[in-house]
Amino acid sequence: MNFESSHHISLGQSIPSRNAKIAVVGLGYVGLPLALTAYDAGFDTIGIDLNGTRVSRIMQGAQVISYLAPDRIASAVDSGRFRATQDRAELADADIILICVPTPLTADQKPDMRFVTAAAEDVAMQLRPGQLVVLESSVWPGATANLVRPILESSGLRAGRDFFLGFSPEREDPGNHTFGTQNIPKVVGADDPLSLQLIEDFYNAIITRAVPVSSAATAEAVKLVENSFRTVNIALVNEMKTALEAMGVDVWEVIAAAATKPFGFMPFYPGPGIGGACIPVSPAYLSWRATDAGSATPLIDLARHSNDAVPATLAARIAADLSRESGPPVDPARPLGGQRLLLMGIAYKRDVEDTRRSPALVLLEQLEILGAEVDYHDPFFPHLPEGGEFANLAGRQSVPLTAESVKTYAAVAVITDHSAPDYALVASHATRIFDTRNVFHRIGIAVDGGRLIKI
Ligand SMILES: NC(=O)c1ccc[n+]([C@@H]2O[C@H](COP(=O)([O-])OP(=O)(O)OC[C@H]3O[C@@H](n4cnc5c(N)ncnc54)[C@H](O)[C@@H]3O)[C@@H](O)[C@H]2O)c1
């Protein structure tokens, strides 16, 4: 038996027996559910994160991701088979290492691979023969082969011979109670057959189904194509909203009717723009890599710019509407001067505690530039967090939603339609309502007197 096949066989045997030890690098929205899924499947699992506060809270059993079952983290920790640590040296004990670190954009909108590079360097320091390393972060096609692999091979070990390497894109949909890590099929790709077989075996052991593809770059491209598809369709539906509104047609009714077609149409819905760590970012990675490869993605680039412009367009729309009511502004550059507005929902998505790249916060800033005094209400954010791209808003507090307070605003604008707020109260007491999500219609609350404006 040759060397590489002996490593392959021993790791291959430790997967069905659940003797393989799993390490997940990065315990965020992707890494933590993934680590718990490996634990649920019977594997001893550790999670490694640089953020000491997050590690401590996880070890205390705190529900650091709101939509996970309340006792899921605590019971995993109590079992003794799952724990979180900051100690990267523990990577040496793992048989399978899954890297789930952030892949944001730089200030000039290019791929920021610093976290992936740093995590790969940590793994390289501890790499030993027989380990399987899988990158899960969303990256440009070629990153596993051309960025991660050389870092790991700087250890002197060779991928596909001494250790195994591949890519599997994360498809986590935060807040989705129907599809979680365990029951979403997972694409897996590697550049050698032994790595691909091990990755396929591992994911088949922890989730519903692994979907093998012929290379790591193919698997990397799958993720970017999925997110670019959504980016383009969101831009398209927002454009349709504006065009149909000019014709006096309700886009929401059109989509509901079009969605009855059993083939060839997939509903996307208008909104205040796109946010989160994924949908706005992946198309930029694809575009950057296409240019690098001598190609281009003009349609995707146009959709990105179109989506980025939505919050400013909505702010101008709100200003125009309120100015019609209150007469010409004293200062045309600040048409909302003196107007108090309440934004409902500042997370980027319904029922998640995440404001990364949230269009609601961009809209808040735009409305203030136009002179408004803006408060917000969001049950997931009693106050706005420190750091990140909205550092200037840190510390602001969510205002309570009461009949008395709602009446004091010139308008209430629903930006992110969390489940918890009392929309009936808003419908009864708000002077004017701007609804970017069609939430009042969706949950069947009538707003009388023409006070509701879908924007
Ligand atoms: N959030 C989503 O909905 C989602 C969905 C699909 C894919 N993704 C992709 O998954 C990846 C991770 O995203 P996320 O939302 O989980 O990010 P996140 O910011 O929620 O979590 C990342 C975690 O990694 C930790 N970290 C950073 N560098 C580290 C290092 N060198 N070693 C150990 N820990 C480190 C951070 O402290 C943080 O806790 C990204 O590439 C993202 O694009 C995210």
Side-chain angles (χ1 to χ4, degrees):
M1 183 187 306
N2 64 21
F3 202 46
E4 66 264 32
S5 60
S6 75
H7 290 319
H8 174 254
I9 288 168
S10 89
L11 185 55
Q13 287 169 343
S14 71
I15 292 172
S17 66
R18 303 298 190 262
N19 286 329
K21 291 192 169 32
I22 316 301
V24 177
V25 182
L27 289 176
Y29 287 95
V30 162
L32 181 56
L34 181 67
L36 294 170
T37 302
Y39 155 81
D40 287 342
F43 291 96
D44 282 7
T45 304
I46 59 163
I48 296 174
D49 202 294
L50 301 181
N51 181 334
T53 310
R54 191 161 180 90
V55 166
S56 315
R57 295 196 65 220
I58 290 169
M59 289 309 285
Q60 288 156 8
Q63 199 183 359
V64 294
I65 297 180
S66 62
Y67 51 85
L68 294 180
D71 61 344
R72 187 146 178 231
I73 297 171
S75 68
V77 171
D78 289 347
S79 75
R81 284 198 300 105
F82 167 75
R83 75 199 156 75
T85 175
Q86 281 182 277
D87 185 2
R88 290 163 280 175
E90 294 208 37
L91 286 167
D93 298 329
D95 301 299
I96 299 176
I97 298 170
L98 312 173
I99 300 176
C100 307
V101 296
T103 43
L105 295 172
T106 59
D108 56 353
Q109 304 299 299
K110 299 213 166 64
D112 181 352
M113 301 293 281
R114 279 174 305 156
F115 299 97
V116 171
T117 301
E121 285 168 355
D122 288 343
V123 174
M125 298 261 291
Q126 310 297 335
L127 200 65
R128 60 172 171 77
Q131 286 178 314
L132 167 65
V133 181
V134 185
L135 180 62
E136 292 232 359
S137 305
S138 311
V139 294
W140 39 267
T144 301
N146 299 318
L147 178 73
V148 173
R149 179 177 173 158
I151 294 172
L152 298 182
E153 290 190 337
S154 68
S155 63
L157 302 175
R158 280 268 311 279
R161 186 191 71 184
D162 308 316
F163 70 96
F164 306 99
L165 174 64
F167 181 81
S168 180
E170 191 49 61
R171 286 169 156 171
E172 195 70 17
D173 184 17
N176 188 328
H177 295 289
T178 309
F179 293 106
T181 313
Q182 200 282 328
N183 63 351
I184 302 173
K186 210 152 170 9
V187 172
V188 296
D191 295 332
D192 67 88
L194 296 183
S195 295
L196 184 60
Q197 185 62 58
L198 287 168
I199 297 176
E200 198 180 340
D201 288 351
F202 171 64
Y203 285 106
N204 274 327
I206 69 166
I207 54 124
T208 182
R209 184 163 66 95
V211 181
V213 295
S214 62
S215 67
T218 304
E220 290 160 338
V222 169
K223 176 72 188 175
L224 302 190
V225 166
E226 288 171 0
N227 282 355
S228 299
F229 172 82
R230 294 190 62 188
T231 293
V232 170
N233 278 287
I234 291 167
L236 178 67
V237 79
N238 277 321
E239 182 174 290
M240 286 199 269
K241 176 189 75 172
T242 310
L244 292 176
E245 190 185 358
M247 303 170 207
V249 176
D250 183 335
V251 70
W252 297 92
E253 193 181 351
V254 171
I255 295 165
T260 60
K261 185 177 178 182
F263 50 86
F265 183 83
M266 178 187 282
F268 281 79
Y269 300 99
I274 56 175
C278 239
I279 310 285
V281 176
S282 294
Y285 273 60
L286 189 61
S287 176
W288 176 85
R289 180 70 183 109
T291 307
D292 183 55
S295 184
T297 55
L299 181 64
I300 293 170
D301 296 340
L302 182 61
R304 287 169 54 208
H305 294 129
S306 172
N307 288 328
D308 288 347
V310 174
T313 307
L314 292 185
R317 173 81 204 277
I318 290 172
D321 193 87
L322 291 178
S323 306
R324 253 198 313 276
E325 291 291 300
S326 60
V330 182
D331 177 357
R334 292 168 59 82
L336 289 171
Q339 305 259 34
R340 293 182 66 242
L341 302 178
L342 176 65
L343 300 191
M344 290 179 63
I346 45 91
Y348 83 88
K349 182 179 180 183
R350 182 192 305 159
D351 294 342
V352 301
E353 70 289 66
D354 190 349
T355 55
R356 283 177 295 178
R357 303 180 78 92
S358 175
L361 293 176
V362 180
L363 179 58
L364 190 158
E365 288 178 333
Q366 294 288 333
L367 290 168
E368 292 193 334
I369 290 168
L370 297 178
E373 292 170 28
V374 186
D375 287 331
Y376 80 88
H377 172 81
D378 191 313
F380 290 93
F381 287 95
H383 54 82
L384 289 180
E386 303 287 331
E389 71 262 57
F390 300 104
N392 53 323
L393 301 175
R396 292 210 193 185
Q397 295 191 353
S398 174
V399 299
L401 204 60
T402 65
E404 291 68 37
S405 71
V406 163
K407 281 178 194 159
T408 65
Y409 295 99
V412 176
V414 178
I415 311 303
T416 299
D417 52 342
H418 292 310
S419 306
D422 185 347
Y423 293 100
L425 179 145
V426 176
S428 299
H429 299 286
T431 309
R432 207 166 187 73
I433 301 169
F434 295 103
D435 186 359
T436 68
R437 300 284 188 174
N438 202 30
V439 63
F440 291 89
H441 179 82
R442 181 165 53 79
I443 61 182
I445 295 176
V447 182
D448 53 26
R451 290 175 297 127
L452 177 67
I453 299 139
K454 294 188 195 176
I455 59 169

